Each structure stands twice: as structure tokens, then as C-alpha cells.
């Protein structure tokens, strides 16, 4: 099994033909107007209408227009099909419309229509008090593993040198800053975190999502009595990092305004479908879309 970047044609075909099959499986809190924003990353920067504004390789778009007090007035997407059309054709369906800060129309450019290298949604939510997410990245697991494997007298201990000396860059998937065993370990850690949520926090609603290069673990209980505010999230970070020694990204846990990869979106850098999973035995090969020619 090898990994590679998806082509423009594969990306478009995935969102046109395969992605719509998963819409009924999306978590119920991911709707056209629930998350406060949707976001898209591009492999190549795309111009905006205003000449003086730099080209964009990442955009965020609000799901609601708001008044000066921050109260909702008009939804930007009438239903999730509008979100899908924005994902398929971000420039032609930019919610900013004809604003000078909207993406430039490909019909007036020599550049092609931009394709989504990644699709995200905001963890900050209009209807829920929180969406709490813990991120576990295979890159960090590989970096720690390389640090333990490589002799302390290595002159150059930057990430690439360490990974190369540990043989990780040559391991499958070749050229990526981790091996498949690091992804498998990230998935195992993810289910350990889920168990901690359920056993230590009495969480009733959790979810583990394969992110393409690791996992996202969600705590979704919405009882305001739990108060997962900034201080509570810092305590959770300390618990997972120091007590349980799980290599999470503490910044993601603490910041409720982060964006996360949209479940069932395509991680185009590795040709994998981001998706909820039910077992630490999940086989990442099963996440390869049908449209990818291996």
C-alpha cells in the first residue's frame, strides 16, 4: 500500500459522486447552519476579486450573516446541498457573493476553478455550548519514536534528520513523516482517550474519527453543568498528557474556535476519507475512495 496526493480530477470526482453518499451519515451537529463556519484549503492559492488582496490558499466562510450585536440574521446556506456546492465549486459558489473579498470567478481568469485540498468546519457552534475535540497526530508519535531510536550524538537533530536516521522516511508510506505503525498507534491512543472520556468523565456521547494522519476524539455531551470552558480544557490537557502520557495536541483541545476536518471529506494529501471509526483495529486501507486509482 502506498499513499500519494489526489489529482484535481480525483478530488472533483470524489465530491461530485462519492461524497454525497455519506451525507446521511454526518454527525447530527454538522448541519448547514450549525457550525459557525466552513473552511476550505487549496493546494494552489487562488485570487480574490480585490486586486490588492493576496491570493488565498485557505478561506473561512460564516454560516450566518449577523447584525452589529452578533445576533443571527440571514443564513448563508439554505441546506447542506448548498454547502456541498460550495465545496465542489468554491469560487463559483462563494458565500461572499460579489464582495471584493470573495474568490475571483474562474471564468474571468486563466487559472482553473480551485479544488478543495481539505474541507473543515468550525468547532464553535451556534446551537451547542461546545464541541470538544482532542487531536492525536501520527507525525508527533513518529517524532517521539525517532527521538528514542536515534543516538544522542547525532549532530543534526531536526525533524527530517531524526526521521531519516530512524528509517521512518523510507518506511511505508515512503516520504511521509511517519510510518503506518504510527498511524495505527494514533488510532489506539484515540480509543484510549474515548475510554477516559467515558470512564472518568461519564461521557455518554463520544466519537473517534480517523483524520487521515491520525485521529480526532470528540466529547459531545452538551449538558451545561459540565462547563468545558477554557480552564476545564487546560485541566483535561494536563490529565491526558501527564497522567495518561497520551501525545495529544493541547492547543486544539484548548481552543474552541478551531476548525476540524469535515467527516467524510477527502484528505487529498493521502487519498483517504476522513471518517468516524468504531474500533482500534480499523484498517486505513479501507478509507481509500473508489475514485482513487491505486
Amino acid at each position: 500500500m502506498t499513499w500519494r496526493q489526489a489529482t484535481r480530477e480525483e478530488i472533483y470526482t470524489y465530491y461530485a459522486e462519492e461524497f454525497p453518499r455519506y451525507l446521511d451519515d454526518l454527525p447530527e451537529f454538522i448541519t448547514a447552519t450549525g457550525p459557525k463556519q466552513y473552511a476550505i484549503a487549496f493546494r494552489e492559492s487562488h485570487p480574490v476579486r480585490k486586486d490588492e488582496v493576496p491570493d488565498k490558499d485557505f478561506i473561512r466562510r460564516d454560516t450566518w450573516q449577523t447584525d452589529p450585536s452578533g445576533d443571527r440574521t440571514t443564513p448563508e446556506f439554505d441546506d447542506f446541498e448548498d454547502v456541498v456546492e460550495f465545496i465542489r465549486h468554491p469560487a463559483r459558489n462563494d458565500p461572499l457573493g460579489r464582495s471584493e473579498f470573495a474568490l475571483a470567478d474562474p471564468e474571468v481568469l486563466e487559472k482553473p476553478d480551485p479544488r478543495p485540498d481539505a474541507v473543515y468546519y468550525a468547532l464553535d457552534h451556534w446551537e451547542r455550548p461546545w464541541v470538544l475535540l482532542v487531536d492525536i497526530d501520527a507525525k508527533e508519535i513518529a517524532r517521539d519514536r525517532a527521538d528514542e531510536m536515534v543516538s544522542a550524538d547525532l549532530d543534526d537533530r531536526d525533524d527530517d534528520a531524526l526521521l531519516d536516521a530512524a528509517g521512518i522516511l523510507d518506511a511505508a508510506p515512503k516520504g511521509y513523516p511517519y510510518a503506518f505503525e504510527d498511524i495505527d498507534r494514533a488510532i489506539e491512543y484515540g480509543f484510549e482517550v474515548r475510554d477516559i472520556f467515558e470512564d472518568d468523565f461519564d461521557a455518554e456521547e463520544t466519537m473517534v474519527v480517523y483524520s487521515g494522519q491520525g485521529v480526532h476524539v470528540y466529547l459531545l455531551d452538551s449538558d451545561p453543568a459540565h462547563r468545558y470552558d477554557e480552564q476545564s480544557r487546560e485541566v483535561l490537557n494536563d490529565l491526558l498528557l501527564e497522567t495518561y502520557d497520551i501525545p495529544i495536541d493541547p492547543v486544539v483541545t484548548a481552543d474552541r474556535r478551531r476548525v476540524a476536518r469535515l467527516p467524510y471529506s477527502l484528505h487529498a494529501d493521502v487519498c483517504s476519507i476522513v471518517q468516524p471509526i468504531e474500533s482500534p483495529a480499523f484498517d486505513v486501507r479501507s478509507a481509500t475512495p473508489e475514485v482513487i486509482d491505486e
Side-chain angles (χ1 to χ4, degrees), residues 43-231:
R43 194 169 298 169
E44 297 180 359
S45 298
H46 189 81
V48 299
R49 293 175 180 269
K50 187 175 177 64
D51 291 339
E52 295 82 4
V53 176
D55 295 356
K56 302 295 184 182
D57 62 5
F58 180 82
I59 59 170
R60 290 176 180 249
R61 294 295 183 259
D62 294 341
T63 57
W64 284 85
Q65 296 177 22
T66 57
D67 62 21
S69 300
D71 294 326
R72 288 175 285 177
T73 56
T74 307
E76 293 288 5
F77 305 105
D78 290 332
D79 52 40
F80 206 82
E81 284 299 324
D82 289 344
V83 179
V84 174
E85 286 303 311
F86 170 53
I87 293 169
R88 288 176 183 156
H89 300 288
R92 282 192 280 169
N93 298 296
D94 193 333
L96 292 184
R98 300 192 63 82
S99 163
E100 58 186 10
F101 295 102
L103 295 174
D105 188 339
E107 293 186 3
V108 302
L109 303 173
E110 294 183 359
K111 297 192 68 168
D113 195 6
R115 297 285 184 248
D117 221 40
V119 180
Y120 305 89
Y121 73 98
L123 297 176
D124 205 8
H125 204 276
W126 284 110
E127 304 293 345
R128 297 177 58 93
W130 57 77
V131 176
L132 194 155
L133 180 148
V134 170
D135 179 39
I136 304 173
D137 195 325
K139 294 190 291 292
E140 294 303 316
I141 294 172
R143 174 61 171 77
D144 292 344
R145 185 163 64 89
D147 204 28
E148 294 176 357
M149 293 170 62
V150 175
S151 171
D153 60 5
L154 180 69
D155 292 334
D156 185 357
R157 295 188 69 83
D158 67 23
D159 283 1
D160 285 346
L162 274 173
L163 295 173
D164 187 46
I168 291 173
L169 295 181
D170 287 329
K174 188 171 182 179
Y176 286 84
Y178 46 77
F180 280 124
E181 66 180 270
D182 299 305
I183 295 180
D184 291 341
R185 187 68 184 105
I187 292 171
E188 292 171 358
Y189 276 131
F191 282 92
E192 290 179 30
V193 172
R194 186 199 64 175
D195 291 343
I196 292 167
F197 284 165
E198 294 176 353
D199 295 341
D200 293 9
F201 293 82
D202 294 324
E204 296 181 356
E205 190 176 1
T206 60
M207 181 170 64
V208 180
V209 173
Y210 166 63
S211 64
Q213 298 184 116
V215 291
H216 296 154
V217 191
Y218 289 81
L219 193 159
L220 297 168
D221 289 1
S222 56
D223 183 354
H226 286 101
R227 293 182 57 81
Y228 288 110
D229 53 15
E230 183 177 354
Q231 184 177 4

